Amino acid sequence: MVSNRSATEPGHRVTGARPPLISEAAALSVAGDVVRRHALGSTLVGTGADATVVVVAAGDRPGDSGVRDSTTVVLRGDPSPDLHPRFMGRVRPPIHVFVRLEHGCLPLGTARCRRGASEPARFTSAELQLEQPLSRALLDAARPVPPPGPVPSVEWVDHVATDPIRALESFVLGWFPAGELTPVGTNDRPDALAAFHRLARLRPALHRFPDPVLTEPTRASGPPGDRLVFAVRDGGGTEWSIPWPPGGADPRVWFTDESETILEEEPLSRFLLQFTLDAAVQTAPYQATTYVMPTAHLDALRSTLRPVPLSPFRPTCTAARFFLAPGLLAQVSGDDDESIVGFGALHRGTLTPLLAHGFRWSRFDG
């Protein structure tokens, strides 16, 4: 059984005083007596005979350079061939990382480059791994937690049992960002699938799920009979389909792989809601995942979340049940003894209060 000792993030260092701030000039001097200055996006990189110095801006800017979590610093910018050997060469000087605050630069320690372009001309980014994880105090200084922004309502849960298509529409329009309108055909499809494709026209993220719903469903035949394949998994190795012709307004769903066909618990309308909630957790801007824990440790968490009244999703695999709060989705997989929880959030500040539960995290973006 896994211990539920207090922790914040994977490998998180929970003790240690915050080091004093130093000037930018003092930070750059770590590189050596003669320092060349480079810009990689918003990041200042100093190179010298002794070391490479990286000075990133504080804050939380997904898609830009900055501190991502207690062990990861990401650099992004225009192509910088001169920096390639400092991060990707066979012989690399030590990398010292600082974050620029209002009154000086805060040392974050040394790092190694974990990922970057192999060719100098394509060197536009690098992922650094700090050799010592940041304490929560250092992480909050380098990447202050902003207050949560506007969050969608959760009242759509009230319609799951009686009008699952309405529930799906309310969730999708509130959770996913609007995008450029894309043409999507909806003719000759059951109501729930036509509704999903209409929503995908307004929220294109629905067609960028890890396991995508097909823009154009395809006909297939096999042991279950003639069917319409509407979603695939693992690049097409497995698929979800409905009987064709459907024989009803809300047909049952088949999950088919190379060895067997399984009838899903929910009809198409409620299955598409399950499918979308699962993808929303996986693709959320901010995510967190616990290690396996005793299921009883979730009792306090459950009291703050609303359950989504659906049967377990993918019962032969994860058997996930969904819960939610404003701006937060939770996916609980397990049994009466042990469980694991994945969270997806629209704002980082929505995840941070979860630290109070004392879970052990394999990932924590808050």
Side-chain angles (χ1 to χ4, degrees), residues 39-45 54-68 72-78 99 124-126 142-143:
L40 187 60
S42 60
T43 300
L44 171 64
V45 180
V54 171
V55 183
V56 297
D60 185 25
R61 298 175 308 282
D64 196 358
S65 300
V67 177
R68 288 293 176 267
T72 307
V73 179
V74 174
L75 311 181
R76 290 195 174 100
D78 295 328
V99 62
T124 59
S125 63
R143 194 189 63 161

Side-chain angles (χ1 to χ4, degrees), residues 155-168:
E155 301 307 314
W156 59 266
V157 174
D158 296 334
H159 304 294
V160 172
T162 58
D163 194 346
I165 295 178
R166 178 181 176 185
L168 174 66

Side-chain angles (χ1 to χ4, degrees), residues 82-168:
D82 291 346
L83 291 177
H84 183 269
R86 308 294 298 204
F87 294 95
M88 302 298 295
R90 289 188 177 182
V91 180
R92 310 176 195 177
I95 301 173
H96 293 259
V97 182
F98 297 81
V99 62
R100 185 184 296 107
L101 304 182
E102 183 179 0
H103 300 293
C105 294
L106 177 67
L108 300 183
T110 55
R112 61 182 180 86
C113 185
R114 184 166 55 186
R115 190 173 293 114
S118 58
E119 300 176 11
R122 298 174 58 189
F123 187 76
T124 59
S125 63
E127 182 177 309
L128 309 182
Q129 181 172 14
L130 295 167
E131 294 183 349
Q132 290 292 325
L134 301 178
S135 67
R136 186 71 207 188
L138 279 177
L139 181 61
D140 285 347
R143 194 189 63 161
V145 180
V151 294
S153 168
V154 298
E155 301 307 314
W156 59 266
V157 174
D158 296 334
H159 304 294
V160 172
T162 58
D163 194 346
I165 295 178
R166 178 181 176 185
L168 174 66

Side-chain angles (χ1 to χ4, degrees), residues 222-302:
D226 293 336
R227 52 199 172 92
L228 186 71
V229 178
F230 65 87
V232 296
R233 179 169 168 242
D234 296 335
T238 54
E239 57 195 28
W240 285 277
S241 61
I242 55 174
W244 195 260
D250 200 12
R252 300 300 298 270
V253 176
W254 289 326
F255 174 71
T256 303
D257 63 16
E258 295 179 353
S259 61
E260 61 181 342
T261 296
I262 300 172
L263 187 65
E264 295 283 354
E265 292 289 330
E266 299 287 4
L268 180 62
S269 60
R270 290 161 63 90
F271 173 84
L272 286 171
L273 178 57
Q274 288 181 315
F275 192 92
T276 304
L277 291 172
D278 176 70
V281 174
Q282 295 184 60
T283 61
Y286 300 97
Q287 300 175 38
T289 307
T290 71
Y291 286 106
V292 175
M293 72 177 84
T295 299
H297 290 174
L298 296 177
D299 290 347
L301 176 66
R302 291 181 193 272

